[in-house]
Each structure stands twice: as C-alpha cells, then as structure tokens.
Amino acid sequence: MIWPTQAECRRFYGAPGTNQTVMTLPYEMTYDGKVVKRMTINKKCADSAFRALTKIASEYSASDRAKLGLSIFGGCYNNRPMRGGTQLSMHAYACAIDFDPARNQLKWDHTRARLAKPDCEAFWRAWEEENWISLGRTRDYDWMHIQAARIR
C-alpha cells in the first residue's frame, strides 16, 4: 500500500473520529501500567498494522518486547493538532501509533531514543515492509511515532 501524504489524510482516511475499528493486538501491551489488548485505529490501515505487529511478535520474545519498549503503548487515536502546530496530528486520523513515549521523547534524537538502537532494527523493518513512516528514521526526532502517511 502506498499511504497518502499527510496533506491527503482527510480525503483518504475520512474526518477524525470516522472510519475506525477496534483491533485486537497480536501481543499484550501496557498503557500507563495497565494491560492493553485492543486499540482504536483507522480501518484503512488496521490490517497493515496488525501484520507489522504480528511480525514484531514473531521476531521478539515477550521479555525482549518489554525490555525494548515494544509493548509500551503510547496511543493511536487522539483527535488533536500536531505538537506545536495547527494542522491535525496523524493521530487524529487514527493512522499513527506511539511506542514507549518516556524513553523516546519527541525532541530526542538517535543518541537518546531507545528505539534508535540497533536491537530495534527488526521492529522498524516490520513497519517499513508495510510502508509505514518513522519520523525517527526519516527526521531523527519523535522516535516513538510510526504513521501510515507519507511526510511529503
């Protein structure tokens, strides 16, 4: 799948809060210390996200996912503008997922972000095989964030 650009998301995904589904996760995650088994995501990218997460589950053991932060869910759907901006966040379209926000903070680059380390390569490969975009790998910030939308 070739995902829309960020500017095309409303036309492709629909208005924020629409065209969503609840996806059962292929492995257990936590959010704020509580178990998460499902997430709300846009229908158009749900199958792709499920494939990537299933591949991640097969590449990493549960203990490795926990150690690397791959099982720390930072959110998907959140109808809000981009941080510091006025345009809608990709989270508003439920086509973005965050992982382990505490150890992959927005402004951190590869020298600080946990997901920038070599032991996370299979995690990124799983997403890139589905054509999802990492702001960390493309712009070296916001390493927690992965999105089914092209930057330009």
Side-chain angles (χ1 to χ4, degrees), residues 3 9 25 34 39 42 58 71 90 99 114 116 122 127 142:
W3 301 113
C9 280
L25 298 169
K34 296 177 179 79
M39 79 165 125
N42 194 286
S58 72
S71 61
M90 297 301 97
F99 293 86
R114 179 63 190 92
W127 289 110
D142 204 2

Side-chain angles (χ1 to χ4, degrees), residues 56-73:
I56 291 161
S58 72
E59 294 280 337
Y60 296 98
S61 68
S63 63
D64 285 341
R65 291 191 305 268
K67 178 182 80 171
L68 300 175
L70 310 181
S71 61
I72 301 173
F73 181 64

Side-chain angles (χ1 to χ4, degrees), residues 1-4 12-13 44-45 48 51 128-132 148 150:
M1 168 69 81
I2 303 297
W3 301 113
F12 183 82
Y13 287 116
K44 289 190 172 184
C45 61
S48 176
R51 285 190 300 271
E128 289 165 355
E129 287 171 4
E130 294 291 332
N131 293 317
W132 286 58
R150 293 176 287 136

Side-chain angles (χ1 to χ4, degrees), residues 96-107:
I97 306 168
D98 289 345
F99 293 86
D100 195 4
R103 296 189 299 169
N104 298 285
Q105 294 183 26
L106 177 66
K107 296 185 184 212

